[in-house]
Amino acid sequence: IHLFKFDGSGKGGAGVVLFGPVSSPNSTRPKLYEEGLYLKDATNNKAEYEGFLLCLKTAKEFRLTNFLIEGDSQLVIEQVQATWDCRSAGPKSLLEEVRSFPHSFRYVGIRHILRCHNKEADALAAEAVREKAPFKRQLGPIVDTHLQINQGELTPPRRTRTRLPSTPTPLTPANPPSRLSSTPFPSPLTPATQASTIPGHVLIRLNEQGAVS
């Protein structure tokens, strides 16, 4: 399964890197694509959200249906998962853009990671700020894959002392914020149910029409 990593800079840049699947237990992920956005006067939170949205746009452009997204912005990850509420007007509009993103994705797994595991995306955001211009670089073929996870594909967890389970265990479905409890989530990217075939990730299962199944 493909892996996106994103990062945003308060100096006005966002970066995304796409890695391909691991071909064998001892191999590393090939780097397939890099992109940077120059956002000029964007706040850090806006830049982080723009990075997350860029992952979705890139996946759609290359017709990927099964992929993971990792970033070091806990705010963005938790708000997209609906485990944290969003009250600020700026991030709220970007969150709604994420939730209403048109797509045909089947599986989207998202997870917060430490900054030390996000250096590639951070460097791309810094490059966009330095050059004051957006850029794209395709470094290899990008072909959609079936949902198949190998342990070697996973970024180390946030808590390095925590042992990953030998077999995946189901996650308890997240409860929506109380102010939304009487209405359905407006987006297929906000899960009604969560499956865990990937330790540490929240895996959002979607059907071909983009509805939560």
Side-chain angles (χ1 to χ4, degrees), residues 73-194:
S73 172
Q74 189 171 9
L75 178 83
V76 171
I77 297 298
E78 298 287 353
Q79 287 180 346
V80 170
Q81 291 179 2
T83 51
W84 287 8
D85 202 356
C86 182
R87 296 185 176 89
S88 301
K92 189 174 181 180
S93 64
L94 290 166
L95 177 58
E96 290 304 317
E97 187 175 351
V98 169
R99 289 179 171 178
S100 61
F101 187 81
H103 65 87
S104 57
F105 306 147
R106 297 189 182 198
Y107 292 85
V108 181
I110 58 178
R111 182 170 71 160
H112 172 244
I113 58 174
L114 296 174
R115 292 184 65 185
C116 61
H117 298 308
N118 205 29
K119 293 180 180 179
E120 295 96 339
D122 177 73
L124 295 173
E127 182 180 346
V129 172
R130 185 174 61 252
E131 300 298 328
K132 296 183 178 180
F135 60 87
K136 298 180 180 182
R137 291 190 288 262
Q138 185 167 347
L139 308 174
I142 302 173
V143 181
D144 196 22
T145 60
H146 296 292
L147 185 67
Q148 181 177 352
I149 311 301
N150 299 315
Q151 190 70 15
E153 295 191 74
L154 303 179
T155 302
R158 281 179 289 173
R159 297 178 180 84
T160 54
R161 294 180 182 178
T162 301
R163 294 182 60 188
L164 292 176
S166 56
T167 57
T169 55
L171 294 176
T172 303
N175 294 319
S178 57
R179 65 184 181 86
L180 294 177
S181 58
S182 60
T183 58
F185 285 110
S187 163
L189 287 175
T190 306
T193 58
Q194 297 171 1

